[in-house]
Amino acid sequence: MGNTVGQAACIAVKVVSIMIILSIDTATDGVSVAIADGTRVLASSEMRSEKQHAEVLTTMIDFVRKQAGVSFGDVGAVAVDIGPGLFTGMRVGIASAKAIAQVLDVPIIGATSLDILATAIGETDDVIACVIDARRGEVYWSLYRYIDGKLRQVTTPKASTVEECALQTIDRGQSTLFVGNGALRYRNEIELVVAGVLPRFEFADEMAALPTAVVLAQIAHERALRQEWQEADTLVPEYLRLPDAEINWATRSAS
């Protein structure tokens, strides 16, 4: 009986400690960090940085932790955006999150940048088309819908041309909200394909263009309650395509 009570107490402590989550998002042009206690965000910081993710991230983590009045020992889990997105940025965030999780001996929770964009929109009857700029005239994208009040990913994430993304969107024949920096960058190209075909379509504004650590913390909290976490060494990035350096090398080798 004593052992059972002790085990229950340990589980209870684990559930309580997992509520304080440090979330890190560096997968795109935005760098953001947040600390949340359950559904309450204690502190957050965001900035745009195309090439300085590594330089600013450590400072941002320290700033947010101090603003929240939280020590590293209070953190029960680390959440990180695993992409798709900018390869260097993704690696910086994932490597930092893994290192912190391993040092603190806490679980890690990974969420895709597409999931984060869709979650930020909130419940809607429209299809949510999450489109991230992949450079080289391509986009990373996936479609989402709310079904019975739950957000569901209804297409497999992929990297493709903008035209293919737009064509597969109109295949559903439903009103669609396009969100993400890829949707905004290629808005004209998307409109040329979907105008007059979809019953209605809109584009979310610049405020919703990038995934953020605040929304990531929300996703991580829900997954933590379901104990959907990983050990740091099992977390892998969501690349969807080869890094540009490998593409360039393959192209040179083929020629």
Side-chain angles (χ1 to χ4, degrees), residues 197-244:
V197 182
L198 290 178
R200 182 175 58 82
F201 65 91
E202 296 180 69
F203 289 81
D205 62 26
E206 184 71 27
M207 293 294 291
L210 299 176
T212 68
V214 168
V215 179
L216 170 60
Q218 174 188 336
I219 294 172
H221 168 65
E222 294 169 354
R223 294 184 181 178
L225 291 176
R226 300 192 296 268
Q227 299 187 25
E228 295 176 359
W229 50 65
Q230 298 172 261
E231 298 299 322
D233 58 1
T234 64
L235 190 75
V236 294
E238 180 91 342
Y239 282 129
L240 296 187
R241 78 173 188 196
L242 291 173
D244 288 349

Side-chain angles (χ1 to χ4, degrees), residues 28 44 58 82 84 88 91 117 154 197 224 228 235 245:
T28 62
S44 65
T58 300
I82 61 171
T88 301
R91 289 174 179 140
L117 286 177
V154 294
V197 182
E228 295 176 359
L235 190 75

Side-chain angles (χ1 to χ4, degrees), residues 10-31:
C10 288
I11 293 171
V13 169
K14 182 67 173 179
V15 170
V16 172
S17 67
I18 207 73
M19 291 302 99
I20 295 183
I21 296 175
L22 168 65
S23 61
I24 298 169
D25 197 315
T26 63
T28 62
D29 290 336
V31 179

Side-chain angles (χ1 to χ4, degrees), residues 7 27 41 65 70 74 88 153-155 196 205 228 240:
Q7 290 170 356
V41 176
R65 183 181 59 77
V70 169
D74 296 324
T88 301
Q153 190 174 55
V154 294
T155 61
D205 62 26
E228 295 176 359
L240 296 187

